[in-house]
């Protein structure tokens, strides 16, 4: 891979172009300025809106408690050029040029931060009343649906499905969630951890139907493969997301099994002078011994700082910055604050702190008695202490760890 970025790291004439105006792209542009980059920074976004944060879309914006969630950033004051409502069609790394709907854009360094796009329900496109929830426009289309208190069917009991169902119930809608798997969050958590969460749906007045596959959607109804017909004034699809990288086809930039850009430990893509960050990129984790693809807000916040540092380059002889975070995310659903840190598939032991039928409990995953991940429900202190323990690799005492009255930091070996 080319080292020309490092070689000319002090040049103030370089042009950095960032593709994607979500959290990762915005933070990459801002981090360059915060770390002293003096060249040109251009941020290209496909949406026409001022760059905005996504988590409020499933909460405040959706419920009409906020008109938007634009970032409070003075782009002009920072010298960041915004090109919004501009579709990027491709990239020619050999020429150091992007192809856009309004013409080519040259770059010296390119940052890929194009995010992810929701997976659509086959056969549902074009059917009236079928919605996704990914963009500000999506939230604004759904807001009057909730205000009219329509019967809503949510397809998918993942994180976004649970968060939307929570908001819809708060708005007074009747909500049914259908999930093809045997439990909520089947793709994210082990069965024994996800199982207690199924009761949260019923407690909130939400109907959860598992082992329920959608045969087809028609105006006003969702039909399951067993013939069950569910009335639906609206249908919200939340069955996952995939990296938004189709526009890279033919570029020669390496992508992985999920379509993500394959980045190295410094978040460099396979082409010279190209970096990738956020939902569209995977990176190798020495901490967990495998490549990670993390579709969460914190990754889009943290990764850009590494990208900026490596674009700018440190003093001669200083090693490049390596990206190997402890992944973190949170979800607010059915009156509960759920937080997760780490990567549990790397574990060899699972331990519980507290009763999962209660309002507050934590699951800890260990490998060789070192904490590698935890999920905390209503126990933010566990999360904060646990995250630091994962980062430090401190040996834990399993017997002490299972006592929910003992602080995690006091459960070390």
């Amino acid at each position: 891979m080319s080292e020309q970025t490092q070689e000319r790291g002090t040049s103030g004439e370089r042009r950095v172009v960032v593709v994607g105006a979500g959290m990762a792209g915005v933070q990459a542009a801002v981090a360059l300025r915060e770390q002293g980059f003096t060249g040109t920074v251009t941020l290209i976004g496909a949406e026409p809106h001022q760059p905005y944060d996504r988590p409020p879309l499933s909460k405040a914006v959706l419920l009409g408690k906020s008109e938007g969630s634009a970032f409070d950033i003075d782009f002009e004051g920072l010298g960041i050029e915004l090109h919004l409502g501009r579709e990027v069609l491709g990239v020619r790394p050999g020429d150091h040029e992007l192809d856009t709907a309004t013409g080519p854009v040259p770059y010296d360094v390119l940052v890929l931060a194009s995010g992810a796009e929701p997976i659509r329900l086959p056969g549902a496109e074009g059917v009236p009343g079928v919605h996704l929830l990914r963009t500000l426009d999506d939230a604004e289309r759904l807001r009057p649906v909730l205000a009219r208190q329509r019967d809503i069917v949510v397809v998918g009991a993942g994180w976004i499905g649970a968060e939307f169902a929570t908001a819809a119930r708060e708005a007074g809608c009747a909500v049914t969630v259908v999930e093809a798997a045997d439990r909520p969050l089947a793709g994210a958590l082990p069965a024994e951890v996800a199982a207690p969460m199924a009761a949260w749906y019923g407690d909130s007045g939400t109907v959860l139907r598992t082992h329920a596959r959608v045969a087809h959607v028609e105006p006003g109804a969702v039909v399951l493969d067993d013939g069950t017909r569910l009335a639906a004034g609206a249908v919200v699809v939340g069955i996952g997301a995939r990296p938004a990288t189709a526009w890279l086809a033919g570029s020669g930039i390496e992508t992985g099994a999920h379509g993500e850009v394959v980045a190295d430990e410094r978040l460099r893509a396979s082409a010279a002078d190209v970096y990738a960050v956020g939902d569209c990129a995977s990176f190798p984790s020495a901490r967990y011994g495998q490549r990670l693809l993390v579709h969460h807000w914190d990754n889009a916040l943290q990764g850009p700082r590494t990208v900026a540092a490596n674009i700018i380059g440190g003093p001669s002889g200083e090693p490049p910055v390596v990206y190997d975070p402890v992944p973190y995310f949170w979800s607010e659903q059915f009156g509960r604050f759920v937080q997760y840190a780490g990567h549990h598939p790397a574990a060899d032991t699972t331990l519980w702190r507290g009763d999962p039928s209660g309002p507050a409990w934590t699951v800890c995953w260990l490998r060789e008695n070192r904490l590698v991940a935890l999920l905390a429900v209503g126990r933010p202190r566990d999360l904060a202490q646990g995250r630091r323990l994962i980062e430090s690799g401190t040996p834990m005492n399993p017997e002490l760890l299972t006592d929910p009255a003992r602080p995690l930091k006091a459960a070390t070996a």
Side-chain angles (χ1 to χ4, degrees):
M1 186 170 293
S2 169
E3 293 297 325
Q4 74 185 85
T5 295
Q6 292 294 103
E7 292 170 3
R8 55 188 187 181
T10 58
S11 170
E13 302 303 317
R14 285 189 296 156
R15 300 162 295 183
V16 176
V17 176
V18 182
V19 177
M23 171 62 83
V26 166
Q27 291 299 324
V30 170
L32 282 165
R33 291 300 189 222
E34 288 179 342
Q35 295 182 31
F37 182 76
T38 57
T40 300
V41 178
T42 301
L43 183 62
I44 301 177
E47 294 183 55
H49 308 291
Q50 191 75 2
Y52 61 88
D53 203 4
R54 293 191 189 278
L57 298 184
S58 62
K59 306 172 185 74
V61 175
L62 193 60
L63 292 171
K65 297 177 180 178
S66 171
E67 289 304 312
S69 57
F71 292 114
D72 185 17
I73 294 171
D74 182 0
F75 292 99
E76 185 177 355
L78 289 171
I80 297 170
E81 298 177 8
L82 284 181
H83 295 273
L84 303 177
R86 189 171 188 179
E87 185 180 2
V88 178
L89 305 175
V91 58
R92 289 171 282 116
D95 298 328
H96 278 59
E97 274 194 339
L98 283 174
D99 292 318
T100 78
T102 54
V105 176
Y107 67 84
D108 294 310
V109 181
L110 178 64
V111 179
L112 306 176
S114 51
E117 56 192 6
I119 297 172
R120 298 178 182 273
L121 186 65
E125 290 188 57
V127 178
V130 176
H131 299 262
L132 300 168
L133 181 53
R134 180 74 183 178
T135 67
L136 180 58
D137 289 340
D138 292 337
E140 290 181 343
R141 280 189 288 266
L142 275 164
R143 187 155 53 180
V145 173
L146 267 59
R148 291 195 298 269
Q149 298 185 334
R150 307 294 296 272
D151 290 348
I152 294 176
V153 173
V154 179
V155 182
W159 300 112
I160 191 66
E163 290 184 5
F164 176 80
T166 299
R169 286 297 298 142
E170 186 175 333
C173 300
V175 182
T176 299
V177 178
V178 296
E179 168 58 52
D182 61 349
R183 62 188 187 276
L185 296 167
L189 295 173
E192 69 271 19
V193 177
M197 299 177 175
W200 299 355
Y201 288 77
D203 292 346
S204 75
T206 301
V207 176
L208 172 64
R209 298 183 64 120
T210 56
H211 300 286
R213 294 186 176 276
V214 175
H216 66 273
V217 178
E218 57 192 52
V222 172
V223 181
L224 304 181
D225 62 359
D226 64 0
T228 301
R229 185 184 182 87
L230 304 174
V235 179
V236 176
V237 178
I239 54 176
R242 59 168 64 94
T245 56
W247 64 278
L248 293 173
S251 69
I253 293 174
E254 182 184 358
T255 55
H258 302 283
E260 82 283 6
V261 179
V262 176
D264 69 6
E265 72 281 356
R266 292 155 61 181
L267 295 181
R268 299 177 301 180
S270 61
D273 304 315
V274 180
Y275 291 78
V277 68
D279 290 1
C280 73
S282 65
F283 57 89
S285 171
R287 184 190 309 278
Y288 292 109
Q290 63 186 105
R291 179 166 288 275
L292 300 182
L293 174 59
V294 180
H295 280 191
H296 293 299
W297 184 92
D298 192 67
N299 179 52
L301 175 68
Q302 304 294 342
R305 298 168 187 165
T306 297
V307 169
N310 286 323
I311 288 174
I312 294 168
S316 179
E318 185 173 304
V321 179
V322 170
Y323 189 61
D324 194 6
V326 173
Y328 166 74
F329 73 91
W330 79 95
S331 176
E332 296 178 75
Q333 51 182 271
F334 308 119
R336 292 164 174 85
F337 186 42
V338 183
Q339 295 173 282
Y340 178 97
H343 184 63
H344 69 268
D348 56 32
T349 303
T350 303
L351 297 175
W352 295 74
R353 286 167 57 83
D355 181 356
S357 66
W361 45 276
T362 296
V363 179
C364 298
W365 288 275
L366 290 80
R367 181 179 64 217
E368 297 176 354
N369 282 347
R370 286 175 167 81
L371 198 62
V372 294
L374 82 162
L375 179 134
V377 177
R379 293 180 64 97
R381 183 175 297 180
D382 276 6
L383 189 287
Q385 294 180 8
R387 193 175 183 183
R388 289 192 291 268
L389 290 165
I390 295 170
E391 288 171 345
S392 65
T394 303
M396 306 299 295
N397 181 319
E399 186 175 344
L400 299 179
L401 187 66
T402 57
D403 178 3
R406 181 183 294 272
L408 267 177
K409 65 183 180 181
T412 55

